[in-house]
Amino acid sequence: MRDIGVPEAGLGAIYAGFSLASAGASYVVEDVQEYLGTRRVFVLGPLLIGGAFTTVVLFPVVVIPAFFVSHMVKSVLTPVGYQLVNDGIGTYGRATALSGVAMIGSVLGITAKFGAGALADGTSAVIAVTVLGMILVGTASVGSVGWGVFDIRNPTDVQTESTSGAADASGETD
């Protein structure tokens, strides 16, 4: 942290800022999902984090804002992901499925942190953050193409909100 001008005494304020930023992002999850749609949230989130992380190699001072972006995006992606699983699972076994998804996410997160730590030890923290950013950008880019998220021929986004499918008096569904 000293390399970018942040004294160790400032770490508490930074972590408090992470919590505040995450709380703010959590507050607008529904609005973000409604505006972008679920698929775009899952593609743009990693692209945003990856873009912030890849700029660290050019401008190391942006590492703190990049981590703020990371915490905020994670605060949006987590409930959207759980909602997606919740909507896709029937009543029976829903809690087990959500628990399984949480455990898989934890295992993947721990594995990624170990890998990032090993990469940082072998190279530098800046290189590790940049490589992680490039991986996120690459993965999100492939996902956006595979999902057709930004297909201008089909501008409608597949929404995952549960709908009853009931027709109203005009014959249209909700």
Side-chain angles (χ1 to χ4, degrees):
M1 295 301 279
R2 281 185 237 144
D3 296 345
I4 58 169
V6 177
E8 289 177 11
L11 289 178
I14 290 172
Y15 283 110
F18 286 161
S19 295
L20 185 63
S22 293
S26 295
Y27 182 74
V28 297
V29 169
E30 189 175 334
D31 295 333
V32 170
Q33 185 180 9
E34 185 177 312
Y35 183 74
L36 294 175
T38 302
R39 288 185 181 193
R40 287 189 183 102
V41 167
F42 277 113
V43 171
L44 292 175
L47 277 175
L48 191 59
I49 295 170
F53 280 4
T54 54
T55 60
V56 170
V57 74
L58 300 173
F59 308 103
V61 73
V62 302
V63 72
I64 300 296
F67 281 115
F68 271 90
V69 168
S70 175
H71 280 268
M72 292 169 66
V73 169
K74 183 180 175 190
S75 293
V76 171
L77 288 177
T78 301
V80 171
Y82 287 147
Q83 183 66 45
L84 183 66
V85 172
N86 193 35
D87 288 348
I89 302 293
T91 305
Y92 182 75
R94 180 177 292 167
T96 304
L98 289 170
S99 179
V101 168
M103 284 189 280
I104 290 169
S106 294
V107 168
L108 291 175
I110 290 168
T111 305
K113 288 174 185 173
F114 275 121
L119 181 61
D121 286 344
T123 58
S124 72
V126 169
I127 298 297
V129 169
T130 303
V131 168
L132 290 174
M134 292 167 55
I135 290 169
L136 283 170
V137 167
T139 303
S141 298
V142 168
S144 69
V145 170
W147 275 352
V149 171
F150 299 109
D151 187 356
I152 59 172
R153 295 170 293 157
N154 183 13
T156 59
D157 185 36
V158 176
Q159 297 295 318
T160 60
E161 290 84 22
S162 59
T163 57
S164 64
D168 63 12
S170 67
E172 297 180 12
T173 59
D174 337 322

